[in-house]
Structures are given as structure tokens and as C-alpha cells.
Amino acid sequence: MLRTLAAALGIIMILGGATLWLLTAPRSLDAAVLAEAPDGDAARGERVFWTAGCTSCHARPRAEGEAVLELAGGLELKTAFGTFVAPNISQHERDGIGGWSFADFANSMLRGVSPGGSHLYPAFPYASYARMDLSDVADLYAFMRTLPAVEGRPGGHSLDFPYNIRRGIGVWKLLNLHPEPVVALADDAPEAVRRGRYLVEGPGHCGECHTPRNRLGGSILAQWLAGAVAAEGDGIVPNITGGEGGIADWSHNDIAYYLESGFTPDFDSVGGAMVAVQKNTARLPAEDLAAIAAYLKAAPPHPNGYPARRPATQ
Amino acid sequence: MKLLLIPAAVLALSASAVTAADDPIAVRQALMQANAGAAGLSGAMLKGELDYNPAVAKAAIATFNAVASSYGHYFPEGSEGNGETTASPKIWEDMAGFQEAVGKFETDAAGAVEASGKDGPADLDTFKAAVGPVLGNCKSCHESFRVQDN
């Protein structure tokens, strides 16, 4: 009897384990979906490139001018899970992504899966990029093909156990990889708000820093864009909703002007990691900045998603 | 409302003289408030919210210059602020780099003073050309040397 029970338990555990193993497997895009992708357009892809902010993490740290297009990697993100190192995503055949097919590129952007078929760490913000249109991914791919090949590989990630087990990312994906929009919009929502939702929630990946995360590193969608303790533990990322502590008193123009110039309505300046982001948004067309503003003003308000501030300001 | 920023900036500057000796944190905060006042004023004119006026532009540039030439003196060892200010620990970890950044601000502000002449920059475009490089220092310095908050 006992032996039967033990055997039954064993079978259940094996089945459960096998199920979990299957559920956590890296999942690539269907060939049929990829086949429908339109040919990419490099000129349109440049706009996607600045929206998606690739260069903020993948250029050499502190790169300026034309050097922001040399995606050699090397930026270190020191987080509670360990240190992530941004890889080389230049067009170098061996050290970058020069050898990637469009399918490889789309699988990384939309599914967080590498060309070798393993999970990528979500420090690469594919949880947001998964909301992108396949046509934008195709345009981005076409633009990135025009960028220089840079030799050299930065070191690998240095992560704490158990985060160093890549298969575990499969569990993270089950919990956090949901390509549908975060904020539900009415059918008659203005086109600018809809476009802004796409830019903010998808390629712009604003929520990756501006939304607090749970202990497993998943975005807490109930506090979407409510601000968070900075992932690198140095300061806070502000609340960009209309809730208490947020930007209710910013006009549409204030938001667009900030993204264009780097100055808040009080003429304080952008700082920290947002400086690199704002350099990208400064290159976006006015209609996209207006759309981002329209969405942020329309998104649900939340109080600050981080602990009470320290008193002083300078 | 934006016009109130001029006296505010001037007041902030004079307040700094009073507490200079004993409280570097208070002084540098007052200096940065003066900077913010001058930036607000400049920005209002650049955005067209305030009519351009050469004398006002000159006052803003003079404020940047006064702040730039004194700001770097108020970060002695022991004024780190115990996490109660947004001055980043990186200032003290890399004092040479910080002073270099302040030095660039000083050079740019001095250049703007030079360009503004006796009566201030003649028109908005001249002002924009003079003050643009000065304003660029806000971001570059806050990127590295301020605890992230916006």
C-alpha cells in the first residue's frame, strides 16, 4: 500500500516536473507569423530605434555623438539579482548580432529567446517589446543593419543563485510576459492616446523603470507607472501618473517639452539614467511626444509606488 | 508669476552670503535654487511664455556665472549629507570629475557673460546661442552627480 502510494507520488512528481519543464521551455514565434512580416524600412526603423532606446544600454557607457550608434555593449546594471552586462548588439558577425536573421531578431524582441533557443534575461525589456507591431520590429531590424560592426564582447552577467539558472526565466515569463496592453482604453479613445499607449507600453518600455517590481522582478501592473525605487538602488524613478506625488500638475505641453528639452515645468533638469533616455526622446517627432503626453494624462492615477521621500531637494 | 523668479534668484544669492561659513549644504542648496530661478526665467523666454528682454536675460546669465564660480567650493569632506540630500556620493568618490564638470559650467557661463555684452543679448536668438551651452550643463552634471529623482 505504502509502496503504491510512493509510486503514485513519484509519478505525479515526474508528471508535474515534466509539465513545468514543458511550460518553461523557450517559445519562438510561429514560422507562419514571421512569414507575414513585411519587409523592413530602415528610414522608418530609425524612429523606432530612438523610441526603443537601444543605445541607452547598448552603446559604450557615456558615449556621445555618433558613438551612440556603436552598440558595443558593456554597460553594467547592478541590481538586487546580480550584475547584468549589456551585450554587443552591433552588426559584428561574431561579437554582435550581424549574423542574426530577421527571425532571430524578432524572437529576441518579442519572445525573449536567443538564436540558440534559450531564454534571454528580462533586463532586456522584451516584456515591453513583446507589445510591438511586427512591422516596427522589421523596420528596426532594417535600420540596425545599417549600423557599424564593432568588435569585442563585454564580459557576461554575474548573477546570484537561483537567478543564474536560465530555465528559471521560463517561470518568470509565465508570470510576466503578457503582450496585451496594460491600460484598457474605450473604443472611442482618441488616436493620440492609443498611439501613446503603444509607444509607452511597447517600444518606449517606460514601465520597466517607472513601475515597481515584485520580489521576483515582475512589474506590479496594479501600480503601473507609479514610480519605483531605482533598480540600481541609487535614488528613485518618479511617479508619472496623475496620482499623488505624480505629474497631475504637468500639462500635455509640459510633458512633451520635458521629453524634448530635458527640463521640467520648474526648470529643474532631467538627471540620472533618464538623461540617456531623454537624449533619445529629443529625436522623436512632435506628434509622438504629444501622443506620449496624451496617454500619460489618460492613464489611471496611482500614488507613489516607492517609500516616502527624504525631505531635502538638492 | 515667472517674473517673481528674478527677485527670488537674487534673494537666494544674497542669502548664500549669510550662511556661507558654517553650513555648506545650505549654501549649495541656495546656490542651486538661484540656478533654478535663472533657468526658469531663461526657459520662460525661450518658450515664449515671457517676452524677451535683454536686461532680464543678462541678469539670468549673471546669476549662472555667479553660481558657477562659487558652487564647487561647497562640497567639503564631511558635507555628504547622510543621504538627506540629493547630492550623490559619487561627488566625493570622484571629486576630480565633479570639479571638472563644475569647471565646464564655469567656462560656459563665463562665455555667456562675454556674449551678453553691456546691455544683454540683443535678441532671443543671440540669447539662445549664449545660454544654450550653459543649460546643457544641468543634464550632464545631474546625470552623474545627483541621486536620481526625475
Side-chain angles (χ1 to χ4, degrees):
Chain A
M1 170 68 195
L2 258 181
R3 198 182 294 175
T4 321
L5 199 62
L9 261 177
I11 290 168
I12 288 170
M13 282 174 70
I14 289 166
L15 282 177
T19 309
L20 189 66
W21 188 251
L22 286 175
L23 282 175
T24 59
R27 236 174 280 265
S28 300
L29 293 159
D30 283 343
V33 172
L34 286 168
E36 284 170 23
D39 283 339
D41 176 280
R44 283 198 309 260
E46 179 173 3
R47 178 166 164 183
V48 181
F49 180 80
W50 299 120
T51 310
C54 316
T55 184
S56 299
C57 284
H58 289 281
R60 291 185 199 87
R62 302 268 176 272
E64 296 278 347
E66 283 294 297
V68 301
L69 296 176
E70 294 170 14
L71 305 175
L75 180 80
E76 293 188 353
L77 289 176
K78 297 190 175 73
T79 73
F81 308 102
T83 299
F84 294 97
V85 183
N88 182 335
I89 58 163
S90 79
Q91 290 301 309
H92 196 276
E93 196 85 15
R94 182 194 66 217
D95 297 337
I97 64 170
W100 289 23
S101 66
F102 173 66
D104 293 336
F105 185 75
N107 277 319
S108 77
M109 291 287 293
L110 301 174
R111 293 294 176 90
V113 175
S114 76
S118 49
H119 291 302
L120 295 167
Y121 280 100
F124 171 47
Y126 55 77
S128 298
Y129 294 158
R131 301 189 183 99
M132 288 174 69
D133 294 339
L134 192 59
S135 61
D136 275 355
V137 176
D139 290 342
L140 178 60
Y141 179 73
F143 175 70
M144 288 179 72
R145 297 295 277 178
T146 70
L147 298 180
V150 187
E151 198 175 337
R153 280 171 185 249
H157 307 318
S158 151
L159 303 176
D160 304 327
F161 179 83
Y163 312 111
N164 54 353
I165 302 172
R166 274 193 191 255
R167 191 70 180 208
I169 300 169
V171 178
W172 188 93
K173 285 182 177 175
L174 285 176
L175 298 170
N176 299 301
L177 188 53
H178 308 297
E180 65 272 16
V182 179
V183 173
L185 294 177
D187 289 340
D188 60 350
E191 187 47 40
V193 173
R194 209 166 280 284
R195 169 81 180 155
R197 176 174 73 174
Y198 174 74
L199 293 170
V200 169
E201 298 186 2
H205 67 279
C206 311
E208 300 282 344
C209 291
H210 285 278
T211 300
R213 291 178 186 268
N214 59 31
R215 252 191 271 174
L216 290 174
S219 294
I220 304 170
L221 299 186
Q223 292 178 281
W224 181 244
L225 304 180
V229 173
E232 296 192 85
D234 183 17
I236 56 108
V237 182
N239 182 351
I240 52 170
T241 75
E244 197 185 341
I247 56 170
D249 57 347
W250 290 40
S251 69
H252 285 63
N253 281 342
D254 287 340
I255 297 171
Y257 186 75
Y258 172 79
L259 295 170
E260 181 199 332
S261 72
F263 284 103
T264 70
D266 301 334
F267 258 76
D268 190 356
S269 87
V270 58
M274 188 66 191
V275 172
V277 176
Q278 187 268 324
K279 282 180 187 163
N280 299 331
T281 57
R283 302 194 189 230
L284 296 183
E287 76 244 34
D288 279 355
L289 299 183
I292 291 169
Y295 166 79
L296 291 179
K297 296 302 276 185
H302 299 293
N304 287 348
Y306 51 85
R309 306 254 347 230
R310 292 166 300 194
T313 53
Q314 301 295 328
Chain B
M1 157 42 217
K2 291 278 184 185
L3 271 176
L4 290 175
L5 290 168
I6 310 173
V10 174
L11 278 178
L13 266 185
S14 42
S16 67
V18 180
T19 48
D22 47 349
D23 191 353
I25 294 178
V27 177
R28 70 195 190 213
Q29 290 183 344
L31 285 171
M32 196 49 78
Q33 282 160 12
N35 246 359
L41 196 56
S42 306
M45 290 192 292
L46 293 173
K47 285 161 83 176
E49 289 170 359
L50 191 64
D51 288 343
Y52 181 70
N53 178 310
V56 173
K58 186 177 178 176
I61 286 174
T63 303
F64 285 132
N65 189 46
V67 172
S69 49
S70 52
Y71 193 63
H73 299 152
Y74 296 99
F75 294 83
E77 292 290 334
S79 70
E80 289 85 346
N82 294 321
E84 291 187 356
T85 79
T86 53
S88 168
K90 286 175 194 148
I91 291 173
W92 290 272
E93 289 161 16
D94 179 18
M95 185 53 82
F98 176 66
Q99 292 298 348
E100 194 186 323
V102 175
K104 186 182 166 297
F105 176 32
E106 206 174 334
T107 307
D108 291 341
V113 168
E114 182 95 20
S116 68
K118 181 170 155 291
D119 301 321
D123 53 38
L124 190 59
D125 283 340
T126 317
F127 175 57
K128 198 171 183 176
V131 85
V134 180
L135 291 173
N137 286 281
C138 308
K139 280 191 237 183
S140 55
C141 205
H142 287 161
E143 180 173 20
S144 305
F145 297 113
R146 178 171 69 177
V147 173
Q148 183 158 332
D149 69 344
N150 67 21

PDB file of all heavy atoms in Angstrom, chain A residues 127-153:
ATOM      1  N   ALA A 127       9.607  42.193 -22.184  1.00  0.00           N
ATOM      2  CA  ALA A 127       8.227  42.162 -21.676  1.00  0.00           C
ATOM      3  C   ALA A 127       7.452  43.351 -22.246  1.00  0.00           C
ATOM      4  O   ALA A 127       6.242  43.287 -22.436  1.00  0.00           O
ATOM      5  CB  ALA A 127       8.219  42.186 -20.146  1.00  0.00           C
ATOM      6  N   SER A 128       8.164  44.455 -22.516  1.00  0.00           N
ATOM      7  CA  SER A 128       7.540  45.606 -23.186  1.00  0.00           C
ATOM      8  C   SER A 128       7.578  45.440 -24.703  1.00  0.00           C
ATOM      9  O   SER A 128       6.563  45.607 -25.387  1.00  0.00           O
ATOM     10  CB  SER A 128       8.269  46.901 -22.815  1.00  0.00           C
ATOM     11  OG  SER A 128       8.180  47.150 -21.441  1.00  0.00           O
ATOM     12  N   TYR A 129       8.736  45.085 -25.237  1.00  0.00           N
ATOM     13  CA  TYR A 129       8.876  44.961 -26.693  1.00  0.00           C
ATOM     14  C   TYR A 129       7.898  43.934 -27.273  1.00  0.00           C
ATOM     15  O   TYR A 129       7.538  44.006 -28.443  1.00  0.00           O
ATOM     16  CB  TYR A 129      10.316  44.562 -27.064  1.00  0.00           C
ATOM     17  CG  TYR A 129      11.371  45.613 -26.756  1.00  0.00           C
ATOM     18  CD1 TYR A 129      12.710  45.258 -26.597  1.00  0.00           C
ATOM     19  CD2 TYR A 129      11.042  46.964 -26.645  1.00  0.00           C
ATOM     20  CE1 TYR A 129      13.688  46.210 -26.321  1.00  0.00           C
ATOM     21  CE2 TYR A 129      12.014  47.923 -26.372  1.00  0.00           C
ATOM     22  CZ  TYR A 129      13.335  47.539 -26.214  1.00  0.00           C
ATOM     23  OH  TYR A 129      14.305  48.482 -25.953  1.00  0.00           O
ATOM     24  N   ALA A 130       7.460  42.981 -26.418  1.00  0.00           N
ATOM     25  CA  ALA A 130       6.502  41.974 -26.897  1.00  0.00           C
ATOM     26  C   ALA A 130       5.201  42.624 -27.371  1.00  0.00           C
ATOM     27  O   ALA A 130       4.421  42.007 -28.094  1.00  0.00           O
ATOM     28  CB  ALA A 130       6.207  40.964 -25.787  1.00  0.00           C
ATOM     29  N   ARG A 131       4.967  43.889 -26.956  1.00  0.00           N
ATOM     30  CA  ARG A 131       3.741  44.586 -27.374  1.00  0.00           C
ATOM     31  C   ARG A 131       3.927  45.312 -28.708  1.00  0.00           C
ATOM     32  O   ARG A 131       3.034  46.005 -29.176  1.00  0.00           O
ATOM     33  CB  ARG A 131       3.322  45.593 -26.297  1.00  0.00           C
ATOM     34  CG  ARG A 131       3.055  44.954 -24.947  1.00  0.00           C
ATOM     35  CD  ARG A 131       2.425  45.921 -23.943  1.00  0.00           C
ATOM     36  NE  ARG A 131       2.279  45.238 -22.667  1.00  0.00           N
ATOM     37  CZ  ARG A 131       3.133  45.379 -21.640  1.00  0.00           C
ATOM     38  NH1 ARG A 131       4.142  46.208 -21.739  1.00  0.00           N
ATOM     39  NH2 ARG A 131       2.938  44.695 -20.527  1.00  0.00           N
ATOM     40  N   MET A 132       5.104  45.181 -29.307  1.00  0.00           N
ATOM     41  CA  MET A 132       5.361  45.918 -30.561  1.00  0.00           C
ATOM     42  C   MET A 132       4.736  45.223 -31.761  1.00  0.00           C
ATOM     43  O   MET A 132       4.588  44.007 -31.793  1.00  0.00           O
ATOM     44  CB  MET A 132       6.877  46.045 -30.784  1.00  0.00           C
ATOM     45  CG  MET A 132       7.544  47.020 -29.844  1.00  0.00           C
ATOM     46  SD  MET A 132       9.351  47.016 -30.028  1.00  0.00           S
ATOM     47  CE  MET A 132       9.537  47.742 -31.660  1.00  0.00           C
ATOM     48  N   ASP A 133       4.417  46.054 -32.766  1.00  0.00           N
ATOM     49  CA  ASP A 133       3.946  45.517 -34.048  1.00  0.00           C
ATOM     50  C   ASP A 133       5.122  44.843 -34.753  1.00  0.00           C
ATOM     51  O   ASP A 133       6.242  45.369 -34.742  1.00  0.00           O
ATOM     52  CB  ASP A 133       3.446  46.651 -34.949  1.00  0.00           C
ATOM     53  CG  ASP A 133       2.203  47.336 -34.377  1.00  0.00           C
ATOM     54  OD1 ASP A 133       1.516  46.703 -33.544  1.00  0.00           O
ATOM     55  OD2 ASP A 133       1.953  48.497 -34.750  1.00  0.00           O
ATOM     56  N   LEU A 134       4.824  43.729 -35.405  1.00  0.00           N
ATOM     57  CA  LEU A 134       5.867  43.008 -36.129  1.00  0.00           C
ATOM     58  C   LEU A 134       6.490  43.897 -37.211  1.00  0.00           C
ATOM     59  O   LEU A 134       7.686  43.817 -37.481  1.00  0.00           O
ATOM     60  CB  LEU A 134       5.275  41.732 -36.735  1.00  0.00           C
ATOM     61  CG  LEU A 134       6.267  40.720 -37.289  1.00  0.00           C
ATOM     62  CD1 LEU A 134       7.239  40.243 -36.220  1.00  0.00           C
ATOM     63  CD2 LEU A 134       5.529  39.521 -37.899  1.00  0.00           C
ATOM     64  N   SER A 135       5.669  44.789 -37.784  1.00  0.00           N
ATOM     65  CA  SER A 135       6.199  45.666 -38.844  1.00  0.00           C
ATOM     66  C   SER A 135       7.233  46.637 -38.278  1.00  0.00           C
ATOM     67  O   SER A 135       8.229  46.954 -38.935  1.00  0.00           O
ATOM     68  CB  SER A 135       5.061  46.434 -39.520  1.00  0.00           C
ATOM     69  OG  SER A 135       4.394  47.243 -38.570  1.00  0.00           O
ATOM     70  N   ASP A 136       7.020  47.122 -37.039  1.00  0.00           N
ATOM     71  CA  ASP A 136       8.012  48.001 -36.410  1.00  0.00           C
ATOM     72  C   ASP A 136       9.301  47.234 -36.120  1.00  0.00           C
ATOM     73  O   ASP A 136      10.399  47.787 -36.227  1.00  0.00           O
ATOM     74  CB  ASP A 136       7.470  48.601 -35.100  1.00  0.00           C
ATOM     75  CG  ASP A 136       6.652  49.866 -35.343  1.00  0.00           C
ATOM     76  OD1 ASP A 136       6.588  50.327 -36.503  1.00  0.00           O
ATOM     77  OD2 ASP A 136       6.073  50.387 -34.368  1.00  0.00           O
ATOM     78  N   VAL A 137       9.163  45.983 -35.719  1.00  0.00           N
ATOM     79  CA  VAL A 137      10.350  45.154 -35.456  1.00  0.00           C
ATOM     80  C   VAL A 137      11.122  44.956 -36.765  1.00  0.00           C
ATOM     81  O   VAL A 137      12.355  45.026 -36.786  1.00  0.00           O
ATOM     82  CB  VAL A 137       9.947  43.793 -34.833  1.00  0.00           C
ATOM     83  CG1 VAL A 137      11.177  42.902 -34.648  1.00  0.00           C
ATOM     84  CG2 VAL A 137       9.253  44.011 -33.490  1.00  0.00           C
ATOM     85  N   ALA A 138      10.391  44.781 -37.849  1.00  0.00           N
ATOM     86  CA  ALA A 138      11.041  44.612 -39.160  1.00  0.00           C
ATOM     87  C   ALA A 138      11.766  45.893 -39.565  1.00  0.00           C
ATOM     88  O   ALA A 138      12.892  45.851 -40.080  1.00  0.00           O
ATOM     89  CB  ALA A 138      10.004  44.224 -40.219  1.00  0.00           C
ATOM     90  N   ASP A 139      11.134  47.048 -39.320  1.00  0.00           N
ATOM     91  CA  ASP A 139      11.780  48.325 -39.646  1.00  0.00           C
ATOM     92  C   ASP A 139      13.035  48.523 -38.793  1.00  0.00           C
ATOM     93  O   ASP A 139      14.061  48.990 -39.281  1.00  0.00           O
ATOM     94  CB  ASP A 139      10.808  49.494 -39.410  1.00  0.00           C
ATOM     95  CG  ASP A 139       9.684  49.511 -40.433  1.00  0.00           C
ATOM     96  OD1 ASP A 139       9.821  48.865 -41.484  1.00  0.00           O
ATOM     97  OD2 ASP A 139       8.655  50.166 -40.170  1.00  0.00           O
ATOM     98  N   LEU A 140      12.912  48.185 -37.501  1.00  0.00           N
ATOM     99  CA  LEU A 140      14.056  48.343 -36.605  1.00  0.00           C
ATOM    100  C   LEU A 140      15.220  47.454 -37.054  1.00  0.00           C
ATOM    101  O   LEU A 140      16.381  47.883 -37.061  1.00  0.00           O
ATOM    102  CB  LEU A 140      13.636  47.998 -35.168  1.00  0.00           C
ATOM    103  CG  LEU A 140      14.729  48.074 -34.100  1.00  0.00           C
ATOM    104  CD1 LEU A 140      15.310  49.483 -34.000  1.00  0.00           C
ATOM    105  CD2 LEU A 140      14.170  47.659 -32.728  1.00  0.00           C
ATOM    106  N   TYR A 141      14.881  46.233 -37.440  1.00  0.00           N
ATOM    107  CA  TYR A 141      15.913  45.297 -37.926  1.00  0.00           C
ATOM    108  C   TYR A 141      16.623  45.905 -39.143  1.00  0.00           C
ATOM    109  O   TYR A 141      17.851  45.910 -39.227  1.00  0.00           O
ATOM    110  CB  TYR A 141      15.260  43.965 -38.286  1.00  0.00           C
ATOM    111  CG  TYR A 141      16.208  42.914 -38.833  1.00  0.00           C
ATOM    112  CD1 TYR A 141      17.107  42.268 -38.004  1.00  0.00           C
ATOM    113  CD2 TYR A 141      16.182  42.564 -40.186  1.00  0.00           C
ATOM    114  CE1 TYR A 141      17.970  41.293 -38.498  1.00  0.00           C
ATOM    115  CE2 TYR A 141      17.035  41.594 -40.698  1.00  0.00           C
ATOM    116  CZ  TYR A 141      17.929  40.957 -39.843  1.00  0.00           C
ATOM    117  OH  TYR A 141      18.785  39.996 -40.328  1.00  0.00           O
ATOM    118  N   ALA A 142      15.828  46.467 -40.055  1.00  0.00           N
ATOM    119  CA  ALA A 142      16.405  47.063 -41.264  1.00  0.00           C
ATOM    120  C   ALA A 142      17.321  48.229 -40.906  1.00  0.00           C
ATOM    121  O   ALA A 142      18.409  48.377 -41.483  1.00  0.00           O
ATOM    122  CB  ALA A 142      15.293  47.541 -42.204  1.00  0.00           C
ATOM    123  N   PHE A 143      16.905  49.051 -39.937  1.00  0.00           N
ATOM    124  CA  PHE A 143      17.761  50.181 -39.545  1.00  0.00           C
ATOM    125  C   PHE A 143      19.049  49.699 -38.886  1.00  0.00           C
ATOM    126  O   PHE A 143      20.143  50.194 -39.182  1.00  0.00           O
ATOM    127  CB  PHE A 143      17.017  51.131 -38.595  1.00  0.00           C
ATOM    128  CG  PHE A 143      17.901  52.241 -38.082  1.00  0.00           C
ATOM    129  CD1 PHE A 143      18.331  53.251 -38.932  1.00  0.00           C
ATOM    130  CD2 PHE A 143      18.325  52.269 -36.758  1.00  0.00           C
ATOM    131  CE1 PHE A 143      19.171  54.272 -38.473  1.00  0.00           C
ATOM    132  CE2 PHE A 143      19.166  53.282 -36.294  1.00  0.00           C
ATOM    133  CZ  PHE A 143      19.595  54.289 -37.154  1.00  0.00           C
ATOM    134  N   MET A 144      18.911  48.707 -38.006  1.00  0.00           N
ATOM    135  CA  MET A 144      20.102  48.256 -37.281  1.00  0.00           C
ATOM    136  C   MET A 144      21.126  47.610 -38.205  1.00  0.00           C
ATOM    137  O   MET A 144      22.319  47.629 -37.929  1.00  0.00           O
ATOM    138  CB  MET A 144      19.709  47.344 -36.116  1.00  0.00           C
ATOM    139  CG  MET A 144      19.043  48.177 -35.001  1.00  0.00           C
ATOM    140  SD  MET A 144      18.504  47.234 -33.576  1.00  0.00           S
ATOM    141  CE  MET A 144      20.071  46.835 -32.810  1.00  0.00           C
ATOM    142  N   ARG A 145      20.634  47.069 -39.333  1.00  0.00           N
ATOM    143  CA  ARG A 145      21.556  46.514 -40.338  1.00  0.00           C
ATOM    144  C   ARG A 145      22.469  47.599 -40.900  1.00  0.00           C
ATOM    145  O   ARG A 145      23.535  47.297 -41.438  1.00  0.00           O
ATOM    146  CB  ARG A 145      20.777  45.871 -41.506  1.00  0.00           C
ATOM    147  CG  ARG A 145      19.903  44.692 -41.130  1.00  0.00           C
ATOM    148  CD  ARG A 145      20.675  43.516 -40.638  1.00  0.00           C
ATOM    149  NE  ARG A 145      21.220  42.664 -41.701  1.00  0.00           N
ATOM    150  CZ  ARG A 145      21.967  41.591 -41.471  1.00  0.00           C
ATOM    151  NH1 ARG A 145      22.258  41.242 -40.220  1.00  0.00           N
ATOM    152  NH2 ARG A 145      22.421  40.876 -42.472  1.00  0.00           N
ATOM    153  N   THR A 146      22.045  48.869 -40.816  1.00  0.00           N
ATOM    154  CA  THR A 146      22.847  49.970 -41.376  1.00  0.00           C
ATOM    155  C   THR A 146      23.894  50.479 -40.382  1.00  0.00           C
ATOM    156  O   THR A 146      24.699  51.336 -40.722  1.00  0.00           O
ATOM    157  CB  THR A 146      21.959  51.172 -41.766  1.00  0.00           C
ATOM    158  OG1 THR A 146      21.453  51.798 -40.563  1.00  0.00           O
ATOM    159  CG2 THR A 146      20.785  50.765 -42.642  1.00  0.00           C
ATOM    160  N   LEU A 147      23.872  49.989 -39.148  1.00  0.00           N
ATOM    161  CA  LEU A 147      24.774  50.497 -38.114  1.00  0.00           C
ATOM    162  C   LEU A 147      26.122  49.771 -38.174  1.00  0.00           C
ATOM    163  O   LEU A 147      26.217  48.666 -38.701  1.00  0.00           O
ATOM    164  CB  LEU A 147      24.132  50.345 -36.732  1.00  0.00           C
ATOM    165  CG  LEU A 147      22.835  51.132 -36.556  1.00  0.00           C
ATOM    166  CD1 LEU A 147      22.273  50.925 -35.154  1.00  0.00           C
ATOM    167  CD2 LEU A 147      23.062  52.607 -36.818  1.00  0.00           C
ATOM    168  N   PRO A 148      27.172  50.409 -37.614  1.00  0.00           N
ATOM    169  CA  PRO A 148      28.510  49.825 -37.728  1.00  0.00           C
ATOM    170  C   PRO A 148      28.700  48.516 -36.957  1.00  0.00           C
ATOM    171  O   PRO A 148      28.015  48.282 -35.951  1.00  0.00           O
ATOM    172  CB  PRO A 148      29.424  50.910 -37.134  1.00  0.00           C
ATOM    173  CG  PRO A 148      28.546  51.801 -36.352  1.00  0.00           C
ATOM    174  CD  PRO A 148      27.185  51.714 -36.940  1.00  0.00           C
ATOM    175  N   ALA A 149      29.603  47.697 -37.451  1.00  0.00           N
ATOM    176  CA  ALA A 149      30.027  46.488 -36.733  1.00  0.00           C
ATOM    177  C   ALA A 149      31.151  46.893 -35.789  1.00  0.00           C
ATOM    178  O   ALA A 149      32.073  47.580 -36.196  1.00  0.00           O
ATOM    179  CB  ALA A 149      30.515  45.441 -37.713  1.00  0.00           C
ATOM    180  N   VAL A 150      31.027  46.509 -34.536  1.00  0.00           N
ATOM    181  CA  VAL A 150      32.059  46.835 -33.560  1.00  0.00           C
ATOM    182  C   VAL A 150      32.573  45.536 -32.957  1.00  0.00           C
ATOM    183  O   VAL A 150      31.779  44.695 -32.516  1.00  0.00           O
ATOM    184  CB  VAL A 150      31.493  47.733 -32.427  1.00  0.00           C
ATOM    185  CG1 VAL A 150      32.622  48.199 -31.518  1.00  0.00           C
ATOM    186  CG2 VAL A 150      30.738  48.916 -32.998  1.00  0.00           C
ATOM    187  N   GLU A 151      33.906  45.387 -32.960  1.00  0.00           N
ATOM    188  CA  GLU A 151      34.482  44.158 -32.454  1.00  0.00           C
ATOM    189  C   GLU A 151      34.550  44.169 -30.931  1.00  0.00           C
ATOM    190  O   GLU A 151      34.632  45.224 -30.313  1.00  0.00           O
ATOM    191  CB  GLU A 151      35.901  44.008 -33.027  1.00  0.00           C
ATOM    192  CG  GLU A 151      36.438  42.618 -32.944  1.00  0.00           C
ATOM    193  CD  GLU A 151      37.793  42.496 -33.645  1.00  0.00           C
ATOM    194  OE1 GLU A 151      38.092  43.320 -34.527  1.00  0.00           O
ATOM    195  OE2 GLU A 151      38.543  41.570 -33.289  1.00  0.00           O
ATOM    196  N   GLY A 152      34.508  42.994 -30.339  1.00  0.00           N
ATOM    197  CA  GLY A 152      34.722  42.880 -28.889  1.00  0.00           C
ATOM    198  C   GLY A 152      33.463  42.515 -28.136  1.00  0.00           C
ATOM    199  O   GLY A 152      32.384  43.008 -28.448  1.00  0.00           O
ATOM    200  N   ARG A 153      33.624  41.611 -27.174  1.00  0.00           N
ATOM    201  CA  ARG A 153      32.489  41.215 -26.348  1.00  0.00           C
ATOM    202  C   ARG A 153      32.726  41.647 -24.915  1.00  0.00           C
ATOM    203  O   ARG A 153      33.769  41.317 -24.355  1.00  0.00           O
ATOM    204  CB  ARG A 153      32.369  39.690 -26.311  1.00  0.00           C
ATOM    205  CG  ARG A 153      31.717  39.093 -27.506  1.00  0.00           C
ATOM    206  CD  ARG A 153      31.860  37.577 -27.428  1.00  0.00           C
ATOM    207  NE  ARG A 153      31.329  36.985 -28.628  1.00  0.00           N
ATOM    208  CZ  ARG A 153      30.213  36.255 -28.641  1.00  0.00           C
ATOM    209  NH1 ARG A 153      29.578  35.994 -27.530  1.00  0.00           N
ATOM    210  NH2 ARG A 153      29.771  35.770 -29.783  1.00  0.00           N
TER     211      ARG A 153
END
